[in-house]
Amino acid sequence: MSDDSPAVLDAGPSDGVDPDAFVRAAMRWHFAPETGSRYWLDRAARLPFDPRRDVKGVADLALFPALTDDLREVPVADLVPRGYGSGVRVLDVFDSGGTTGAPKRVIQLADWARHSTEQVDRRLRAHGVPTGRPWLTVAPTGPHLVGDVLQRAAAALGGPALGVDMDPRWVRKLIAAGRSDEAEAYTDHLVEQCRRILLTQDIGVLAATTPLLERLAREDDLLERINGSVEAIVWGGTHMDPDTRHLLATEVFPEVPLIGMYGNTMMLTALLERPGSGAAEPCVFDPVSPYVFLSVVDPGTGERVGVGERGQVVVSHVSKSMLIPNNAERDTAVRVRPAGGQAGDAVADVAPVPVVRGETVIEGVY
């Protein structure tokens, strides 16, 4: 499918849609009075260009100014495209976590939940993640996206999903207030919940954040259990520096494959690391055409950095249900050429920027 008719927006991640044609169709959908959302139709009048005329492909998404601050206050009903009709149901409302200001909110409709799950499932299978095995996910749920992505991934692979919820906002607040003893007590609380599950259930896949994996590894009984029965570890939520990744993969969990996951609310999905990389090689995350496009830019000029150079990550989400273009994330990464068939940049060695708008970024348990 290569034309840019509205029907192309229903394509799945395996349909081989041309990304530029998909973007053109999305511009007509989101900015036509009969199909666009109230938010984008109102916002269009204040854009310095005409999206339906001037956005001809992926590269032109850079024309959009920074708009995601609007998502801190816009009513979520105003984000639903009119083209779905009055009977459409919003499955989920996620928010950005509020690390650098008030949370930004996005919606998830059924078609996007299906597409997101399909692409995550396909990439997990490429890593050889076992099917039909129970998962333990230690991740934020509620308004956070990551818990939903992991629960849907477990279901797609046929395994029951056991979970331990975490509240990263509370931990960041404790750390910022100098109450590190309380933050450590909360982490102990998470570990004890994990212990009850790991020691009584036959967990095949463990999904957790980097700080939680490091904390679990300090418990001899849990370390023995994980290395003895878990068949795959999916890590995400925060960055994992190359030295930590190498240590965990070769010395802490030497028998268990570690699979990186990079995602955020503005992506509305998660990216799984490129298969086949060794522990000493960079962990690379490819974009997901035709929905999620990455670019790595110089934060001062906005120009793309060279391949192999570090810059700020800019994410665009383009789907039938949501349009979130040209969003500068609070991450830096090394620019890498994407895998075949993917548009935009791939990223490696993702790390958080230390300061955003004068505020120190605190990762905590996430």
Side-chain angles (χ1 to χ4, degrees):
M1 191 183 304
S2 60
D3 69 303
D4 46 3
S5 67
V8 79
L9 297 178
D10 294 318
S14 302
D15 291 338
V17 169
D18 176 72
D20 289 333
F22 189 90
V23 167
R24 291 193 295 271
M27 292 302 110
R28 285 199 289 275
W29 170 267
H30 286 288
F31 292 97
E34 63 274 16
T35 56
S37 68
R38 177 177 296 178
Y39 167 74
W40 274 119
L41 294 177
D42 289 346
R43 195 64 180 79
R46 303 195 302 279
L47 292 174
F49 62 96
D50 181 348
R52 289 189 286 178
R53 181 191 66 213
D54 300 327
V55 177
K56 299 179 174 64
V58 176
D60 295 326
L61 293 170
L63 292 171
F64 284 92
L67 296 170
T68 55
D69 277 350
D70 293 357
L71 299 178
R72 301 183 196 277
E73 298 182 358
V74 63
V76 293
D78 289 359
L79 299 174
V80 181
R82 294 173 178 173
Y84 281 92
S86 59
V88 66
R89 183 170 73 90
V90 175
L91 287 186
D92 304 282
V93 177
F94 299 120
D95 69 40
S96 61
T99 305
T100 54
K104 295 171 283 190
R105 295 180 184 85
V106 298
I107 60 168
Q108 177 167 263
L109 303 185
D111 55 351
W112 176 247
R114 184 173 63 254
H115 294 328
S116 173
T117 301
E118 181 184 338
Q119 72 88 11
V120 171
D121 174 71
R122 192 173 64 196
R123 294 187 178 196
L124 287 172
R125 290 175 188 269
H127 280 280
V129 173
T131 59
R133 299 280 279 120
W135 282 48
L136 169 58
T137 65
V138 192
T141 55
H144 299 276
L145 173 72
V146 62
D148 181 79
V149 168
L150 290 170
Q151 294 279 21
R152 291 180 185 276
L157 286 166
L162 291 84
V164 173
D165 184 33
M166 66 166 60
D167 186 351
R169 293 178 186 169
W170 178 240
V171 176
R172 285 195 293 262
K173 191 172 183 179
L174 291 174
I175 294 172
R179 295 154 63 185
S180 57
D181 56 335
E182 293 183 55
E184 185 64 24
Y186 181 76
T187 305
D188 290 342
H189 170 62
L190 295 176
V191 170
E192 281 309 305
Q193 293 179 77
C194 292
R195 173 177 277 108
R196 294 191 187 101
I197 295 173
L198 286 167
L199 297 185
T200 64
Q201 304 293 317
D202 182 24
I203 297 300
V205 181
L206 171 62
T209 63
T210 304
L212 256 295
L213 285 177
E214 295 172 342
R215 181 64 181 80
L216 292 172
R218 287 160 43 188
E219 306 292 322
D220 290 342
D221 58 339
L222 300 185
L223 184 60
E224 180 180 0
R225 182 69 171 180
I226 292 169
N227 278 316
S229 64
V230 171
E231 298 177 51
I233 293 174
V234 179
W235 61 267
T238 186
H239 76 294
M240 184 184 289
D241 65 75
D243 290 341
T244 299
R245 179 170 173 257
H246 186 267
L247 177 67
L248 291 177
T250 60
E251 297 187 31
V252 181
F253 305 113
E255 303 301 322
V256 189
L258 262 65
I259 304 162
M261 184 176 78
Y262 170 49
N264 53 53
T265 306
M266 298 300 107
M267 279 186 200
L268 260 173
T269 192
L271 312 179
L272 277 298
E273 74 170 270
R274 185 182 295 177
S277 299
E281 297 176 287
C283 184
V284 177
F285 299 97
D286 287 298
V288 183
S289 294
Y291 314 116
V292 177
F293 307 107
L294 310 177
S295 56
V296 185
V297 304
D298 182 315
T301 66
E303 296 296 318
R304 213 177 206 174
V305 302
V307 173
E309 296 181 357
R310 179 171 290 276
Q312 186 171 16
V313 180
V314 176
V315 177
S316 291
H317 171 100
V318 182
S319 66
K320 187 175 183 179
S321 60
M322 283 291 294
L323 172 65
I324 312 172
N326 205 31
N327 174 55
E329 283 293 332
R330 57 179 183 88
D331 300 315
T332 68
V334 174
R335 182 186 171 200
V336 178
R337 296 190 189 282
Q342 304 299 323
D345 294 333
V347 295
D349 193 14
V350 178
V353 296
V355 178
V356 175
R357 297 176 182 174
E359 295 186 24
T360 300
V361 174
I362 299 171
E363 295 294 329
V365 293
Y366 192 56

